[in-house]
Amino acid sequence: MQVGRISTKMALVKSKLPDTDYVVNPYVGCGFGCLYCYASFMGRLVNHSISDWGHYVYAKINIAKQLDDQLTKLPNQGKSVTILFSSVTDPYQGVEAKFKLTRQCLKVLVNKQFQGLVAILTKSFLVCRDIDLLQQLPHVEVGLTITTDDDALSRHFEIKAPPTSKRLKTLTKLNQAGIPTYAFVGPVLPHLLNRPSLLDKLLGRIRATGTKRVFVEHLNASPYIKKRLAQQLTKSELLPSAKSRQTDKIIHQLITKHGLTLLGGQIIRHQVSNR
Ligand code: SF4
């Protein structure tokens, strides 16, 4: 793994994501190296190819200072503004234990008495390190990406991410600490489309953590992502399915069965690009 340090001109970047005004990405690259990750195009910023994804991380060492400066310019202490950590990296990947950039940014938000929503999306239990800061923010939510409840299967797709069982425990811990949470079931892996009983079990395990809200997203089937996935789908004898639209109905039924709320009101589906 190549780890470097860079500086950034800004921390808050305007977002095109729904219900998100700004994103903060403390790192370029992600050591978790998920095969389905759409963010591997970020490598062009630091002279890495798509195939290098998961093998480099650059820490934006001045990001907390830039965030401090930008927050000063937001009117009403950012009331009604939503900031997402993060859109093209995991804010709690392994190097965060050393650099603490996400923690530094949260400290800035607390000190500035930021009044908007701080939304965090991660696959890592390291987020629990910052419960003390999260509890001081007036509006916060933490999402854990949970694509399966099978640690061995997760290892095929989310090569170096924490085991999915640990992510479920993280949800439990955050819920016990009073932090609003949700599970991000995305992408819906191909075997779940073929076997709804597994999705049933997965949603049941999410609900058992105390989490009541889920995002559900289908795979971003860009050609380069399909190419990467194809290697593992062959190894694990999993067959991709074109049944995603047919299974939306089943997914909705299972969400209702487990007393969960579907965030965004619909299952997210990507426009397939040729990238
Ligand atoms: S954790 Fe998120 S950002 Fe990191 S490789 Fe996986 S999908 Fe991409």
Side-chain angles (χ1 to χ4, degrees), residues 5-268:
R5 297 163 189 246
I6 54 174
S7 57
T8 185
K9 289 186 179 151
M10 62 173 80
L12 292 174
V13 176
K14 286 215 166 171
S15 167
K16 291 181 187 160
L17 295 170
D19 303 323
T20 302
D21 298 297
Y22 296 97
V23 291
V24 176
N25 289 289
Y27 302 95
V28 178
C30 184
F32 289 163
C34 305
L35 290 185
Y36 53 69
C37 184
Y38 64 83
S40 43
F41 67 90
M42 290 299 292
R44 66 187 174 212
L45 299 181
V46 282
N47 294 323
H48 283 278
S49 67
I50 281 178
S51 60
D52 288 343
W53 188 249
H55 299 291
Y56 63 86
V57 181
Y58 292 88
K60 299 178 184 175
I61 47 169
N62 63 333
I63 195 163
K65 167 77 174 68
Q66 299 295 38
L67 180 61
D68 196 309
D69 290 349
Q70 285 184 277
L71 285 177
T72 305
K73 293 170 197 155
L74 282 186
N76 303 320
Q77 291 172 295
K79 197 173 177 193
S80 308
V81 167
T82 296
I83 300 176
L84 170 68
F85 290 70
S86 298
S87 57
V88 287
T89 191
D90 192 307
Y92 287 102
Q93 60 182 296
V95 291
E96 169 63 15
K98 173 182 171 186
F99 288 105
K100 298 190 174 75
L101 297 181
T102 300
R103 183 167 177 84
Q104 287 173 26
C105 289
L106 292 180
K107 270 190 191 164
V108 168
L109 287 158
V110 168
N111 291 339
K112 288 280 183 190
Q113 299 183 330
F114 178 70
Q115 296 300 305
L117 172 66
V118 177
I120 290 172
L121 180 60
T122 181
K123 287 187 172 85
S124 175
F125 51 87
L126 187 57
V127 64
C128 293
R129 179 199 65 188
D130 293 345
I131 283 175
D132 61 326
L133 295 171
L134 298 172
Q135 286 174 328
Q136 293 176 60
L137 291 164
H139 307 288
V140 68
E141 65 180 19
V142 178
L144 267 289
T145 303
I146 315 258
T147 55
T148 171
D149 65 341
D150 181 338
D151 285 347
L153 187 66
S154 162
R155 191 54 60 237
H156 284 291
F157 294 94
E158 299 157 337
I159 313 286
K160 288 177 279 180
T164 193
S165 55
K166 208 152 183 180
R167 296 180 225 164
L168 288 162
K169 283 182 188 153
T170 302
L171 280 177
T172 302
K173 193 161 179 186
L174 291 165
N175 288 324
Q176 287 169 348
I179 307 293
T181 62
Y182 66 90
F184 189 91
V185 183
V188 180
L189 295 174
H191 72 297
L192 291 180
L193 298 178
N194 291 326
R195 295 176 62 189
S197 62
L198 293 179
L199 189 58
D200 188 7
K201 185 163 157 263
L202 177 62
L203 293 177
R205 289 201 64 186
I206 289 169
R207 187 66 188 85
T209 67
T211 291
K212 295 178 183 161
R213 304 179 301 157
V214 287
F215 267 111
V216 181
E217 180 183 62
H218 284 299
L219 182 70
N220 178 345
S222 298
Y224 75 94
I225 292 178
K226 275 207 240 173
K227 196 172 156 195
R228 276 201 306 239
L229 279 171
Q231 304 157 10
Q232 284 301 330
L233 289 171
T234 307
K235 272 189 208 164
S236 8
E237 296 179 349
L238 296 171
L239 293 171
S241 166
K243 293 180 187 167
S244 59
R245 281 187 192 281
Q246 297 163 30
T247 51
D248 279 7
K249 195 173 161 194
I250 298 170
I251 294 172
H252 280 288
Q253 286 168 349
L254 292 174
I255 285 172
T256 303
K257 172 185 166 183
H258 290 287
L260 292 160
T261 300
L262 180 63
L263 288 167
Q266 60 182 344
I267 297 164
I268 304 163

